[in-house]
Amino acid sequence: MAELLLAILGFFILIQLFYYLFVFTRLIGYKQYSEPGPDAPAVTVLVCAWNELENLQELLPLLDAQEYPTFEVLVLDDRSTDGSHDFLKKHVFGWDHVRFIRIDTEVKHITPKKYALSVGMKHAQYPIALMTDADCRPVGNNWISSMVAQLTNGKDIVLGFSPYMKKGGLLNWFIRCETFYTAVQYLSFARVGWPYMGVGRNLMYKKSLFFEHKGFYTHKGVVGGDDDLFMNQAATPDNTVINLDPESFMYSVPKTSWGSWFTQKRRHLSVGKLYKPKYKTLLGLLSGSHVGLWLAGIACLVHGLLNQDLLLLQILGGAFAFRWLVQLIVLGGINRRLDRTVGAHTFIFMDLAFFIYYIFMSLMMFRKPKKETKWR
């Protein structure tokens, strides 16, 4: 029995080590461009907003102050009732780069945010579209410049990083952990040649690519997926590049309640079901081996204690210690590049938290979700 448990444990550890040593490490020494070339293209920044008055008041001056030759900020005011429209009408002429479009109606068979973005794409003046949300804040005035700098050698898509702001509490810590680990996955996968998603809070692509793939047509009725499903459809190893430049980071305001965060994550996971089979398999192996490793470890621990098998317990401890050491080295190196989003001293707790999270979310995905009516 002990031999079988160790064989299972070893199998899952090997899968984990493959991802850590041959995929995730691609981010640690990644070199990239830091400044746009002399023929930097003009850019349209698209900001979707549904009742985001306070966020728009903070974000728009920051976007208007970006240091870039030619750009516009196009706010898509989607049926807001909180005074956003009046605010935009009053202040738009005081900015150099901001304009807005008011969207007053919903359209059948397409979710509101995807419709708003589609309208924005049609009205964008410039060939490069850079997406963010109203509750985001750029690190500085070189956000646009840094993202455009990556559009070299025929690249059409730039995947940016969007961490959440650091606040107190367990929820905020886990949100930052989950965002960090998700970024490790989609950024390193893209480096290997497996681009499968981006985050709409910090995502750039050519407008021509959007229309070439008929926008969000293939998933127009799916709540969410304006970023990851479109990337799953349009991104290729040849047209996609990542951006790890600290000046490109776009911070976002995190959820403050477990309920709102859970609703958001459940929607994201349901969208993942629509990924291409290749990416569902790769991601399933990663999360499945994580869960399997912990379950096998718990089984080894119980068996070793009940049978007083000291050798089994020593091998178990050594196996987990080795994997945690690899995690510390690899994730620590990436974490330093991603503005130390997570404290390295919490990596072991993060590892355990993801084991619980994967099991919990897997069980909850079997429950029928309530109908969502909120704007996305």
Side-chain angles (χ1 to χ4, degrees), residues 295-312:
L295 291 177
I298 293 171
C300 287
L301 178 63
V302 172
H303 183 82
L305 291 174
L306 291 177
N307 294 276
Q308 297 183 350
D309 190 338
L310 182 59
L311 179 60
L312 175 61

Side-chain angles (χ1 to χ4, degrees), residues 25-296:
T25 52
R26 300 292 294 273
L27 297 181
I28 297 177
Y30 177 63
K31 297 181 180 180
Q32 60 183 64
Y33 298 96
S34 58
E35 295 182 3
D39 300 322
V43 175
T44 294
V45 178
L46 293 173
V47 182
C48 287
W50 178 73
N51 289 337
E52 296 278 8
L53 175 59
E54 293 184 3
N55 281 320
L56 290 175
Q57 290 172 336
E58 292 186 27
L59 174 65
L60 294 182
L62 299 177
L63 295 183
D64 190 61
Q66 290 291 300
E67 296 178 1
Y68 190 75
T70 307
F71 73 98
E72 65 169 346
V73 178
L74 181 54
V75 182
L76 306 168
D77 176 24
D78 188 11
R79 299 166 292 120
S80 296
T81 58
D82 65 343
S84 295
H85 185 56
D86 292 335
F87 166 75
L88 290 168
K89 287 195 300 182
K90 180 179 179 180
H91 293 277
V92 70
F93 297 106
W95 294 310
D96 295 326
H97 304 283
V98 179
R99 64 189 183 97
F100 72 95
I101 295 175
R102 172 73 178 182
I103 300 172
D104 290 310
T105 59
E106 289 190 62
V107 177
K108 292 182 179 180
H109 310 305
I110 183 170
T111 58
K113 186 175 182 180
K114 289 176 182 174
Y115 176 68
L117 282 173
S118 299
V119 171
M121 286 290 185
K122 292 179 180 178
H123 287 82
Q125 295 184 24
Y126 301 127
I128 305 299
L130 177 55
M131 266 62 64
T132 193
D133 288 338
D135 61 353
C136 295
R137 308 289 183 268
V139 169
N141 293 340
N142 294 316
W143 171 55
I144 298 177
S145 178
S146 177
M147 291 295 283
V148 173
Q150 314 314 313
L151 285 176
T152 59
N153 302 322
K155 301 300 182 182
D156 297 324
I157 298 170
V158 181
L159 306 179
F161 177 51
S162 182
Y164 282 99
M165 298 175 184
K166 186 176 182 179
K167 300 181 183 295
L170 179 62
L171 174 61
N172 180 263
W173 170 78
F174 187 72
I175 287 175
R176 287 184 287 112
C177 288
E178 197 273 335
T179 303
F180 165 70
Y181 193 52
T182 298
V184 169
Q185 293 174 51
Y186 75 79
L187 293 172
S188 63
F189 275 38
R191 282 284 294 133
V192 173
W194 305 330
Y196 71 94
M197 69 162 282
V199 290
R201 303 188 303 275
N202 195 5
L203 176 64
M204 170 180 280
Y205 48 85
K206 294 180 179 179
K207 191 169 68 170
S208 59
L209 188 75
F210 180 80
F211 293 109
E212 176 186 338
H213 288 271
K214 299 181 180 180
F216 307 122
Y217 180 78
T218 59
H219 49 90
K220 59 185 178 180
V222 179
V223 177
D226 51 277
D227 43 14
D228 48 357
L229 286 184
F230 182 68
M231 288 298 97
N232 209 250
Q233 171 187 347
T236 70
D238 297 323
N239 72 359
T240 305
V241 67
I242 67 173
N243 194 352
L244 302 184
D245 177 14
E247 292 193 295
S248 73
F249 296 166
M250 177 64 78
Y251 274 83
S252 185
V253 178
K255 299 293 185 182
T256 56
S257 73
W258 286 98
S260 59
W261 171 81
F262 172 73
T263 299
Q264 180 188 60
K265 294 314 301 178
R266 183 169 185 168
R267 185 175 70 252
H268 290 170
L269 290 173
S270 66
V271 167
K273 295 178 179 179
L274 302 177
Y275 287 176
K276 293 177 181 178
K278 172 182 176 179
Y279 300 120
K280 287 194 290 187
T281 301
L282 288 169
L283 294 169
L285 278 173
L286 178 58
S287 59
S289 62
H290 191 135
V291 172
L293 174 67
W294 274 91
L295 291 177

